[in-house]
């Protein structure tokens, strides 16, 4: 998939909001400054990805995992991010788990009128859909 | 747990505001990357938010800009040049110079060159270290 130039940029509205919330009330941000920060953020993603990928390759893995990103932060001299990132990750994982449980329950309710055999087939579909999340759990074990 | 999430997110109580789909596009633009685990994607997005906050607050605090109630481009390029952690941004946040100043610099260099040539008439040594 070819990326259009704007796809490598982050949404202006979100960037502006993050900046505004970080700075004291009443501080103006010039349009130029906002645009510069947005570009810097994209460069940050590329730099972090490249760095994380080096760690994945060192571990002979083809998939970037959480540990790779955290190692990248230390390598890039953003150690200050590591603790808050770990906290956020815990919340995120719990949220994802909760969503998965909710989806399983919802599907069970929908299946309640079908026979046992078809219910098993639907569960297989569920497994395919949640492949990414299951991959997460496997990665967690590796971590 | 909800309070922790609110404290961490900082933006409308969401855990992360930057869209994961867009972050993924940028990450995948790196040719050597094969696949990205969901946790890694989330962490990259969250780290980028922390980065934006850090860059903005650092530049505002250390900016030598004349305006105290504004964050300007100059504050940012100053940070990229002075702070080691942000030096990877130096190329995309170059210092700005007024066109008139630049033209004056060029003229001055030219004039200095001409003056030096006149001085060298009687000498055989050449000064190669003209910065």
């Amino acid at each position: 998939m070819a990326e259009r130039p704007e796809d490598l940029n982050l949404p202006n509205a979100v960037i502006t909001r993050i900046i505004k919330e970080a700075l004291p009330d009443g501080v103006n941000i010039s349009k130029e400054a906002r645009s510069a920060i947005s570009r810097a953020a994209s460069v940050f993603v590329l730099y972090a990805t490249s760095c994380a990928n080096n760690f994945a390759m060192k571990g002979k893995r083809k998939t970037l995992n959480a540990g790779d990103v955290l190692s990248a932060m230390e390598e890039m001299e953003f150690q200050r991010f590591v603790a808050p990132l770990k906290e956020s990750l815990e919340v995120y994982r719990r949220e994802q788990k909760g969503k998965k449980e909710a989806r399983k329950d919802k599907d069970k309710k929908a299946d309640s009128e079908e026979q046992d055999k078809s219910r098993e087939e639907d569960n297989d579909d569920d497994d395919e859909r949640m492949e990414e999340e299951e991959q997460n759990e496997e990665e967690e074990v590796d971590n | 747990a909800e309070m922790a999430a609110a404290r961490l997110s900082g933006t409308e109580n969401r855990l992360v505001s930057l869209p994961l789909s867009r972050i993924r596009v940028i990450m995948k633009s790196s040719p050597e990357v094969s696949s990205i685990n969901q946790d890694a994607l989330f962490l990259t997005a969250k780290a980028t938010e922390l980065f934006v906050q850090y860059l903005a607050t650092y530049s505002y605090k250390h900016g030598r800009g004349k305006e105290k109630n504004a964050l300007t481009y100059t504050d940012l390029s100053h940070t990229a040049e002075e702070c080691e952690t942000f030096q990877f941004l130096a190329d995309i946040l170059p210092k700005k110079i007024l066109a008139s100043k630049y033209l004056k610099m060029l003229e001055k260099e030219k004039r200095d060159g001409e003056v030096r040539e006149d001085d060298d008439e009687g000498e055989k040594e050449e000064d190669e270290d003209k910065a």
Side-chain angles (χ1 to χ4, degrees):
Chain A
M1 181 178 85
E3 295 100 18
R4 290 167 295 158
E6 58 267 23
D7 286 344
L8 298 182
N9 294 327
L10 293 160
N12 277 334
V14 181
I15 294 287
T16 304
R17 198 163 57 212
I18 298 171
I19 299 170
K20 283 213 151 106
E21 286 178 4
L23 295 175
D25 283 341
V27 175
N28 292 317
I29 309 120
S30 73
K31 200 168 162 191
E32 228 185 348
R34 197 230 303 138
S35 160
I37 293 178
S38 185
R39 277 182 287 131
S42 295
V43 170
F44 174 84
V45 174
L46 290 170
Y47 183 17
T49 302
S50 171
C51 211
N53 195 54
N54 286 341
F55 284 103
M57 291 199 296
K58 263 190 227 172
K60 299 195 178 152
R61 282 174 284 103
K62 285 190 175 170
T63 305
L64 291 193
N65 65 24
D68 298 330
V69 177
L70 292 172
S71 300
M73 291 302 116
E74 296 209 23
E75 179 85 0
M76 291 160 69
E77 293 180 44
F78 289 111
Q79 295 94 330
R80 54 174 53 217
F81 293 173
V82 173
L85 282 177
K86 283 182 174 172
E87 271 187 69
S88 297
L89 182 60
E90 267 183 58
V91 178
Y92 179 72
R93 281 175 170 169
R94 265 180 281 149
E95 267 185 22
Q96 295 299 101
K97 209 173 175 185
K99 283 183 192 170
K100 192 173 168 181
E101 301 293 316
R103 225 187 303 170
K104 269 194 181 148
D105 289 344
K106 206 167 93 177
D107 288 338
K108 272 186 189 157
K109 280 183 189 164
D111 291 347
S112 64
E113 291 184 357
E114 296 181 25
Q115 294 178 15
D116 282 359
K117 211 175 180 183
S118 24
R119 198 179 299 147
E120 275 176 29
E121 284 167 12
D122 283 333
N123 281 345
D124 286 341
D125 287 345
D126 260 4
D127 288 347
E128 273 175 57
R129 199 171 0 120
M130 292 189 287
E131 195 182 10
E132 261 191 43
E133 282 166 8
E134 282 183 286
Q135 198 183 6
N136 282 351
E137 287 174 49
E138 285 168 18
E139 298 289 342
E140 278 171 38
V141 171
D142 285 342
N143 281 343
Chain B
E2 278 175 42
M3 277 184 67
R7 177 167 45 89
L8 291 169
S9 65
T11 305
E12 294 175 29
N13 295 331
R14 253 177 286 167
L15 193 51
V16 66
S17 328
L18 288 170
L20 297 192
S21 53
R22 190 72 65 86
I23 296 281
R24 184 196 293 273
V25 168
I26 301 173
M27 290 177 86
K28 295 281 267 182
S29 74
S30 284
E32 67 274 7
V33 171
S34 324
S35 51
I36 304 154
N37 156 310
Q38 193 70 8
D39 283 353
L41 177 60
F42 167 77
L43 281 181
T44 305
K46 190 68 196 171
T48 307
E49 282 186 23
L50 295 176
F51 170 78
V52 169
Q53 290 167 354
Y54 187 25
L55 177 60
T57 50
Y58 187 98
S59 302
Y60 178 66
K61 249 192 282 179
H62 295 83
R64 292 224 201 107
K66 290 171 187 170
E67 292 172 78
K68 296 222 166 139
N69 256 342
L71 178 66
T72 63
Y73 176 86
T74 306
D75 297 331
L76 295 166
S77 72
H78 181 72
T79 294
E81 189 173 282
E82 303 288 309
C83 180
E84 219 184 281
T85 313
F86 293 108
Q87 237 148 47
F88 71 97
L89 299 171
D91 286 345
I92 62 151
L93 300 177
K95 289 241 153 161
K96 290 170 75 174
I97 185 170
L98 286 174
S100 54
K101 268 193 187 167
Y102 184 64
L103 287 171
K104 280 189 187 161
M105 263 172 65
L106 287 179
E107 281 180 44
K108 183 173 187 285
E109 274 177 36
K110 191 179 168 194
R111 263 177 303 166
D112 286 351
E114 284 170 7
V115 168
R116 229 171 274 141
E117 274 171 37
D118 291 343
D119 285 347
D120 281 349
E121 264 190 310
E123 293 170 13
K124 283 181 183 169
E125 269 182 288
E126 273 191 332
D127 184 8
E128 287 177 323
D129 285 328
K130 288 181 194 161

